[in-house]
Amino acid sequence: MIWVAATLIAAVAQTARNAAQAGLGGRIGTIGATSVRFIFGFPFAALFLLLLTPFTNLPPLNATAIGFTAMGAGAQIGATAFMLLTMRGQSFGVATALMKTEPVTLALIGILILNEPMGPASLAAIGLATLGVMLSSGARWSRAGLIPVVNGITAGTLFGLSAIGFRGALLTLPEGSFFVHALTILVLTLGLQSSITLAWMLIADRRALRGITGEWRVSLAAGGLGAFASLFWFIGFALTPAANVRTLALIEVVFAQIVSGRFLHESTGRMQLIGMALIAAGVGWLLALTATGG
């Protein structure tokens, strides 16, 4: 169950990255804040791979692996942009809940693109955990606007497509170390994303580029944490269908609610408690199924 540990490590590291990156948007703009995770994460991943090279054989990259990686990298950039758009909407809870429908999207896309069928019990566990997220989000669906809903669904779909791209790239590599495979695809992904976002800022947003340079300390911390988190996401994708990884990651919602109640003294409503229970039940069910090969 290495993928379980990898997913939990990735979720914690991603939370830390988000905390490091939290204030950047207001200081250097949306594009700049989005680009930080790619541009400052790439040197960390590339250096680690370079240091590892004398001790292992790197897997050869074929056209299919590069194509899947490019699909994942592009979809992740688009997903991040739509995610940031949802944060500006009136229906924040609704949009956030819809973005968390990613595991369901992943399961469906995985069946269509990667031919990774999931049994009815696994699909039910994924659906149960996703329903829990929607209930625990505190969303007021009666006030949901069309644009935030569309943006949220689009972000969730693109995040799902990006995970499928990374999973597909990893599956095309020859047999070998899952760790080396994950690191290789991560370096390729961050290299592509850094090139795309740097080119965009050079052409259309020089202010964001100057802002990143001025905030290099915070950007470096966010980039390092982001690369660390992504490495463990990719390790999870190398070992199990992406839908399993993202479903387990939903347990982060429960942790966030516990922290907000314990340390921030924020109240938790009955519907949120029911939602957290459903998340825990869905995740536990899925882990039991994967442990028994169900």
Side-chain angles (χ1 to χ4, degrees):
M1 301 291 281
I2 296 174
W3 73 270
V4 175
T7 301
L8 294 176
I9 291 171
V12 172
Q14 181 167 289
T15 301
R17 185 208 71 197
N18 291 341
Q21 201 175 358
L24 284 177
R27 298 197 297 272
I28 64 177
T30 300
I31 298 298
T34 302
S35 303
V36 160
R37 61 179 295 191
F38 310 131
I39 296 171
F40 285 86
F42 175 68
F44 286 98
L47 178 60
F48 194 14
L49 184 63
L50 184 64
L51 293 174
L52 199 63
T53 300
F55 306 101
T56 187
N57 294 321
L58 299 183
L61 293 174
N62 52 58
T64 305
I66 295 173
F68 267 120
T69 303
M71 181 184 82
Q76 191 175 57
I77 293 174
T80 303
F82 277 99
M83 179 188 71
L84 292 172
L85 285 175
T86 64
M87 303 306 176
R88 300 176 180 175
Q90 295 292 325
S91 305
F92 176 82
V94 172
T96 301
L98 289 171
M99 282 189 292
K100 291 297 184 180
T101 60
E102 178 192 357
V104 176
T105 305
L106 271 171
L108 298 177
I109 297 177
I111 293 172
L112 295 174
I113 296 181
L114 300 182
N115 194 26
E116 290 185 324
M118 305 191 76
S122 294
L123 291 174
I126 292 171
L128 184 65
T130 303
L131 175 61
V133 171
M134 300 182 79
L135 291 177
S136 64
S137 67
R140 297 183 178 181
W141 298 96
S142 61
R143 299 183 181 180
L146 178 61
I147 293 178
V149 169
V150 171
N151 287 340
I153 293 174
T154 303
T157 302
L158 287 174
F159 274 126
L161 190 62
S162 71
I164 288 296
F166 302 142
R167 167 77 171 162
L170 290 161
L171 289 177
T172 64
L173 298 180
E175 291 187 8
S177 167
F178 62 83
F179 184 86
V180 175
H181 287 183
L183 185 58
T184 301
I185 296 300
L186 174 61
V187 171
L188 178 59
T189 299
L190 291 175
L192 290 172
Q193 292 171 326
S194 297
S195 300
I196 292 170
T197 53
L198 271 174
W200 173 262
M201 287 188 292
L202 283 169
I203 294 171
D205 198 349
R206 297 284 183 89
R207 176 181 171 274
L209 191 58
R210 290 192 296 270
I212 287 176
T213 304
E215 296 283 350
W216 67 269
R217 291 182 179 83
V218 177
S219 299
L220 199 62
L225 288 167
F228 183 78
S230 295
L231 175 59
F232 281 91
W233 287 128
F234 281 30
I235 289 172
F237 295 152
L239 296 173
T240 191
N244 289 347
V245 174
R246 291 307 198 191
T247 302
L248 175 57
L250 293 179
I251 202 69
E252 179 188 349
V253 176
V254 178
F255 295 155
Q257 291 283 0
I258 293 173
V259 169
S260 66
R262 174 70 176 173
F263 298 104
L264 302 180
H265 306 291
E266 295 178 356
S267 60
T268 301
R270 180 181 301 175
M271 196 62 68
Q272 290 174 305
L273 290 173
I274 294 173
M276 288 190 290
L278 291 179
I279 294 171
V283 168
W285 188 8
L286 183 66
L287 290 178
L289 290 170
T290 55
T292 58

